[in-house]
Amino acid sequence: MISVIKRDVVFKTKDIQKEYDGQVLKDETHDLKELPNLVSNHTYKISGPYGEITNVGEVENTLTVTDILDSSNKSVIDNYNIIYEYGILKVVPRTITIESGSAEKIYDGLALNCEKTSVVDNKLLKGHQYKASGFISVTDAGIYENTFAECYIYDEFNQDVTYNYEIIKYNLLKQSVGDNELDSEWFQIPALTNIEELNVDDFGNVSYHKNNVSLIFLNECEGFFYEKKISKKICRI
């Protein structure tokens, strides 16, 4: 008995990855140069369905071998055992940074918030728009990050495409109590040697008065006092 065993040939496609850009990702060339088991002078034909993907995720980089031809252009595909090893087409989220705005007022007992935002890295795709919501609202003077709870992104067809983005929330400014010009920065002064320089009121608030400078809200930390100069109470986010 004489027998000819089919020849194994592996068709292996590439791995391709890109950041989401709203465009279809596919293998444009299907370049299959490494086919060591294909008989010399034999050629092949391929067709779809080809793998492709637009939104974040991954699919196989598929193709189909429809024919293998010998040097005389005769089909010899039945003499081959075709094996596919598909690569992966992968779209990863597009990183975008959204920055919250700032606002400021002197304490008046009413709530303060700021719903202004902006994209700082210019990576929002053309035709896409976003909507941030759930901003904080503060009444008491103090320091607060101007955070927002949610942010959704929509394409030009008003479809939710938030999952295609990795949203970084950047809270630019804070709400504070402090001197308007000094921007509420804390300043370090040497540990006080004369405790009589400190004044404590009936509520336990500490203040320090020296050289015509008034400092309040002193906190002791590792031998140093940290001061904040106060000229008026300000709400700032």
Side-chain angles (χ1 to χ4, degrees):
M1 183 177 67
I2 298 175
S3 64
V4 177
I5 301 173
K6 285 188 175 184
R7 188 181 188 92
D8 289 345
V9 60
V10 178
F11 287 83
K12 184 176 182 179
T13 58
K14 296 179 292 186
D15 293 327
I16 306 175
Q17 177 176 307
K18 74 169 182 177
E19 184 181 70
Y20 170 72
D21 62 2
Q23 303 299 314
V24 174
L25 172 63
K26 57 185 178 181
D27 191 341
E28 299 289 352
T29 62
H30 292 294
D31 186 7
L32 304 172
K33 292 181 179 179
E34 296 181 9
L35 296 171
N37 284 350
L38 195 67
V39 173
S40 178
N41 296 322
H42 284 196
T43 58
Y44 60 87
K45 294 180 180 180
I46 61 174
S47 69
Y50 299 117
E52 60 180 45
I53 186 172
T54 301
N55 296 316
V56 167
E58 59 183 54
V59 297
E60 289 183 329
N61 185 9
T62 57
L63 54 75
T64 302
V65 177
T66 58
D67 207 355
I68 298 178
L69 306 174
D70 63 14
S71 57
S72 61
N73 213 32
K74 176 184 176 181
S75 177
V76 291
I77 190 171
D78 291 338
N79 294 313
Y80 285 92
N81 180 34
I82 297 173
I83 301 170
Y84 295 103
E85 292 184 4
Y86 293 134
I88 297 297
L89 303 176
K90 185 174 183 179
V91 177
V92 299
R94 187 178 187 86
T95 302
I96 183 174
T97 302
I98 297 179
E99 178 183 87
S100 60
S102 61
E104 176 180 299
K105 70 175 181 178
I106 297 175
Y107 171 76
D108 59 4
L110 301 177
L112 174 66
N113 65 352
C114 178
E115 297 186 0
K116 294 179 180 179
T117 56
S118 61
V119 178
V120 300
D121 47 18
N122 198 33
K123 293 189 69 176
L124 187 67
L125 293 182
K126 184 178 180 180
H128 289 196
Q129 56 184 339
Y130 69 94
K131 182 177 181 180
S133 61
F135 289 83
I136 66 164
S137 179
V138 296
T139 303
D140 297 330
I143 298 178
Y144 307 90
E145 290 189 359
N146 187 19
T147 58
F148 50 93
E150 297 178 327
C151 185
Y152 295 97
I153 300 177
Y154 302 91
D155 65 13
E156 60 270 33
F157 305 107
N158 206 33
Q159 298 295 313
D160 186 349
V161 292
T162 307
Y163 62 94
N164 287 316
Y165 289 86
E166 180 183 354
I167 301 173
I168 299 174
K169 301 175 183 178
Y170 183 69
N171 307 310
L172 179 60
L173 292 180
K174 303 177 179 181
Q175 184 146 356
S176 66
V177 178
D179 183 85
N180 197 25
E181 294 182 358
L182 294 176
D183 197 26
S184 306
E185 295 291 338
W186 287 93
F187 298 90
Q188 187 183 61
I189 60 175
L192 298 177
T193 57
N194 185 359
I195 197 63
E196 294 179 356
E197 295 174 349
L198 295 177
N199 299 310
V200 182
D201 63 20
D202 294 337
F203 300 99
N205 297 317
V206 179
S207 61
Y208 168 60
H209 303 277
K210 188 175 181 180
N211 297 329
N212 296 320
V213 175
S214 295
L215 313 173
I216 61 175
F217 297 109
L218 288 140
N219 295 304
E220 188 173 9
C221 178
E222 297 182 355
F224 288 91
F225 286 90
Y226 293 84
E227 65 187 4
K228 185 183 284 187
K229 296 184 178 181
I230 304 295
S231 62
K232 56 185 176 183
K233 290 188 175 181
I234 294 175
C235 294
R236 180 183 298 137
I237 56 176

